[in-house]
Amino acid sequence: MPLKITDHWLSGTNKAGHTTKKKQTPNFYRPPFNTVTGLPDATIIHYTAMNDFDAAVKVLTTKYESGNASAHLMIGKAGEVTQMAPFNYRTWHAGSSYYNGRKGYNSLSVGIEIDNLGWLKKFGTDYSRKRLKAKGITVPKTDVFEGRHRNPKIPYEYWQEYTDEQIDVVFEICEVLRDTYGMQEFLGHDEIAPDRKQDPGPAFPMDELRGELLKDRSGEVEEGIVNTNLLNIRAGAGGQYEKVAQPLPQNAQVKVLEERDGWYKVKTEIEGWVSKKYITPTK
Ligand SMILES: [Zn+2]
């Protein structure tokens, strides 16, 4: 049975041949999410920065005196998956976070953790970090991705590679999440908390994931309706541009002429740019 979501839990077998294990975390907020549907409309990708799948699951499914964290999914190196909360429950993976006018991604998103060490430094012929090296954990050059982070302030040059199974399974799960919940955003933790976070970093093909999963929604939308109370319509694709008319009312029908940077150029009686998240496609 192919991978699908039943009652907010993954079911079926993934592309790497694994069924999903269940280990429920006590660290969650009950529904609803802070979205139009009350369900998540974004997905955030993380790495654990740890070396051990089971230890990482344990951290995210244990209640400590403070510093509790959780996520919905943990993806192992062979593509094995443990789900720690149903997708209609909010988990604690994002922390203080902000992107494209929205904040508080714990209440907007599904959190996917990937078993991966993250950034590394060179130690002779191997790669590690001080504290990992003290425990005898090193990574050979063949498993190291060399490249800078999209955030130029992050100085690290070496990262543990993700396995092909991890990337395949994350892409597969994200597609099922998109089809089930109508996900609008796939983002890295490093994009919603750029001052604090480096994960998933440059070794994860974030732009490819977005290109694959969001491409068929852009460019093909021809018409839509306004899904917010009053929608500003501007001279260009961004909040810095002048308003060109009175705001559009809820349920106003618009023709979509063009898309740019998360904005649609729309036509009603007049033409101008609106943030695309406030347009529900109808065609
Ligand atoms: Zn993270």
Side-chain angles (χ1 to χ4, degrees):
M1 194 177 70
L3 198 67
K4 59 176 186 165
I5 292 170
T6 310
D7 292 333
H8 308 292
W9 291 89
L10 283 176
S11 62
T13 305
N14 69 30
K15 280 181 178 163
H18 297 276
T19 55
T20 304
K21 284 192 185 153
K22 211 167 169 177
K23 186 173 182 203
Q24 189 143 1
T25 182
N27 303 332
F28 62 83
Y29 298 124
R30 292 185 183 280
F33 281 74
N34 185 22
T35 59
V36 176
T37 58
L39 291 166
D41 69 9
T43 300
I44 305 300
I45 309 293
H46 305 261
Y47 62 55
T48 58
M50 292 172 68
N51 189 45
D52 184 309
F53 182 95
D54 293 328
V57 169
K58 192 169 178 203
V59 167
L60 299 180
T61 54
T62 304
K63 208 169 207 74
Y64 301 99
E65 281 191 14
S66 65
N68 288 309
S70 56
H72 294 89
L73 298 172
M74 179 71 68
I75 317 295
K77 293 196 168 63
E80 72 275 34
V81 179
T82 294
Q83 185 166 353
M84 297 171 280
F87 297 122
N88 61 332
Y89 278 38
R90 294 170 290 161
T91 60
W92 305 342
H93 58 96
S96 172
S97 46
Y98 179 93
Y99 187 84
N100 196 25
R102 297 202 299 173
K103 62 182 180 180
Y105 270 76
N106 282 339
S107 293
L108 300 169
S109 65
V110 163
I112 300 180
E113 290 278 356
I114 311 177
D115 177 24
N116 177 282
L117 282 173
W119 65 266
L120 301 166
K121 288 191 169 173
K122 201 165 194 276
F123 290 84
T125 55
D126 286 337
Y127 298 79
S128 189
R129 291 194 294 270
K130 250 188 177 164
R131 282 164 65 185
L132 296 170
K133 189 146 173 59
K135 290 190 239 169
I137 299 163
T138 61
V139 178
K141 190 177 171 64
T142 48
D143 295 339
V144 170
F145 177 92
E146 201 175 329
R148 290 293 300 270
H149 198 276
R150 69 172 70 230
N151 177 353
K153 287 183 189 158
I154 293 170
Y156 310 120
E157 294 172 63
Y158 305 109
W159 310 79
Q160 184 174 33
E161 288 266 25
Y162 295 94
T163 67
D164 292 344
E165 289 83 354
Q166 284 176 320
I167 289 172
D168 283 353
V169 166
V170 170
F171 274 53
E172 183 184 19
I173 289 171
C174 285
E175 190 175 352
V176 175
L177 285 168
R178 179 199 65 186
D179 294 346
T180 306
Y181 298 107
M183 293 286 172
Q184 311 276 331
E185 291 178 323
F186 293 93
L187 296 166
H189 202 187
D190 47 16
E191 294 174 287
I192 61 166
D195 297 335
R196 300 186 293 120
K197 293 293 174 180
Q198 297 89 42
D199 61 315
F204 187 83
M206 207 64 227
D207 292 326
E208 264 180 76
L209 177 71
R210 281 192 281 264
E212 208 159 284
L213 294 183
L214 300 176
K215 66 172 182 244
D216 42 341
R217 303 161 69 95
S218 62
E220 278 184 11
V221 173
E222 292 172 27
E223 288 175 13
I225 55 168
V226 173
N227 63 25
T228 186
N229 202 5
L230 288 170
L231 178 59
N232 287 321
I233 179 161
R234 297 179 183 276
Q240 71 274 27
Y241 291 98
E242 291 291 314
K243 295 174 197 168
V244 295
Q246 292 297 314
L248 302 175
Q250 188 142 29
N251 296 326
Q253 295 205 3
V254 297
K255 272 204 162 78
V256 175
L257 304 174
E258 199 182 327
E259 176 175 10
R260 192 183 303 162
D261 301 334
W263 289 65
Y264 282 145
K265 186 178 192 183
V266 299
K267 186 181 167 92
T268 53
E269 297 93 78
I270 49 131
E271 275 180 28
W273 291 85
V274 299
S275 180
K276 65 179 270 193
K277 66 180 180 232
Y278 298 118
I279 298 295
T280 301
T282 54
K283 196 172 165 187

